[in-house]
Amino acid sequence: MCTAVEWWERHQVVLYLAAIAVGAVVGLLVPAVADPLESAINPVLGLLLYATFLGVPFTAIGRAFTDWRFLGVVLVLNFVVVPVVVFGLSRAVAADQAVLVGVLFVLLTPCVDYVIVFTGLAGGARARLLAATPLLMLLQIVLLPVYLWLMAGAEVVGAFDPHPFVEAFLLLIVLPLVLAAATQLLAKRFRAGRAIEGVVLAAMVPLMMLTLAVVIGSQVFGVSSALAQLLIAVPVFVVFVLIVAPLGALLGSAARLDVPSRRAATFSGVTRNSLVVLPLALALPASFALTPLVVVTQTLVELVAMVVMVAGVPRLIRPRISTAENV
């Protein structure tokens, strides 16, 4: 098993791209798989996050709560800098209200789930980002209606429902976190606990591949069916990544964060909460039928961007001298 684990960790970026390609091909050739795969997203993502949390010592999470400088950078980036960027970029699609609302929904909400996985893969401070998730979730629930009112008008605000945010936080953060903590305690006392811990941690790369394939396979056909209308949003999502990634790195550098924290801040700024806001988009009136597909389009763009960033961010944000990386 060790040889297999070493192999797929060494080739993880290529494997993730292959998983995206497989998901896209299956989703396009067999549209009937979309619904079953969509139902599998949360269970698969929850399992991936359980594995991710299992690899984070819980003492490190406790220490991360006291790192106010990192928390300040992440909050300023996501709730001050990003909204300004989003407002500017969203003017390019302002003529189509359904597209505009989709762009705003997804780009104004920072990710709180698989961003932790990608951050860890790039050598970022997973524990610190995990500690920031309650604040990120709470603030986006409070501020999203305000941003929507300012950028899209009062009509959209009436459809805002915080329940999907709360449900996602409980199912995708709290539950996997509790299970991971229980597994760590078992691993300290029992051989079976150590065996479970070892198997799950060794399966991180296959779990990420499965998640990518499931998400892409479940959504790609719906996007392809309205591709002509959705193409206008794709440059917005690509440019968002190209702008926010360096801004996150610069803000982290200005705050004198260490290398793992700068990487984590960069991923937090770029990665959006698409899987959580999708139910919000689906709940909108019929005149916004295109909005959920806009959200899904961002997911497809982002997943490719994440795989590229896993390879690129460690090369761009690196220590000037050889130092021990923080977890």
Side-chain angles (χ1 to χ4, degrees), residues 57-261:
F58 279 76
T59 54
I61 298 174
R63 290 195 303 269
F65 275 110
T66 64
D67 191 350
W68 293 105
R69 188 163 48 176
F70 173 77
L71 290 174
V73 167
V74 169
L75 296 180
V76 168
L77 177 62
N78 279 294
F79 298 112
V80 179
V81 175
V82 165
V84 173
V85 174
V86 171
F87 177 76
L89 292 177
S90 66
R91 298 311 93 187
V93 297
D96 188 326
Q97 192 179 37
V99 176
L100 171 64
V101 171
V103 167
L104 295 178
F105 261 36
V106 72
L107 292 187
L108 289 171
T109 52
C111 183
V112 294
D113 39 59
Y114 62 53
V115 62
I116 299 165
V117 182
F118 284 113
T119 297
L121 292 172
R126 294 178 300 177
R128 293 174 188 172
L129 197 53
L130 177 58
T133 57
L135 277 175
L136 290 172
M137 182 66 82
L138 177 63
L139 285 175
Q140 66 185 270
I141 294 172
V142 173
L143 293 177
L144 181 57
V146 178
Y147 292 141
L148 290 173
W149 179 73
L150 290 172
M151 300 183 196
E155 178 186 353
V156 182
V157 178
F160 179 79
D161 179 4
H163 287 98
F165 287 94
V166 177
E167 182 179 350
F169 183 69
L170 292 175
L171 293 178
L172 298 180
I173 299 296
V174 175
L175 181 58
L177 195 58
V178 170
L179 292 175
T183 304
Q184 287 187 9
L185 288 174
L186 287 173
K188 290 180 179 179
R189 298 184 178 185
F190 303 104
R191 182 178 300 176
R194 290 191 292 274
I196 293 171
E197 186 178 51
V199 169
V200 173
L201 290 176
M204 275 293 300
V205 173
L207 283 172
M208 176 58 81
M209 292 173 65
L210 179 62
T211 303
L212 292 171
V214 166
V215 173
I216 296 292
S218 68
Q219 306 298 332
V220 68
F221 185 78
V223 170
S224 67
S225 64
L227 191 58
Q229 295 168 280
L230 294 170
L231 280 176
I232 188 175
V234 172
V236 173
F237 297 140
V238 173
V239 174
F240 176 83
V241 174
L242 296 176
I243 292 175
V244 174
L247 286 178
L250 288 172
L251 193 59
S253 181
R256 297 183 178 179
L257 298 181
D258 58 24
V259 168
S261 295

Side-chain angles (χ1 to χ4, degrees), residues 27 29-37:
L29 294 181
V30 191
V33 304
D35 288 341
L37 288 180

Side-chain angles (χ1 to χ4, degrees), residues 263-312:
R263 292 176 182 173
T266 301
F267 273 90
S268 179
V270 170
T271 316
R272 303 289 89 191
N273 218 4
S274 54
L275 299 179
V276 175
V277 299
L278 186 56
L280 295 179
L282 290 168
L284 290 171
S287 58
F288 293 93
L290 198 62
T291 300
L293 293 178
V294 175
V295 173
V296 170
T297 301
Q298 190 275 339
T299 306
L300 303 182
V301 172
E302 178 178 273
L303 288 175
V304 175
M306 287 296 100
V307 173
V308 173
M309 286 179 63
V310 165

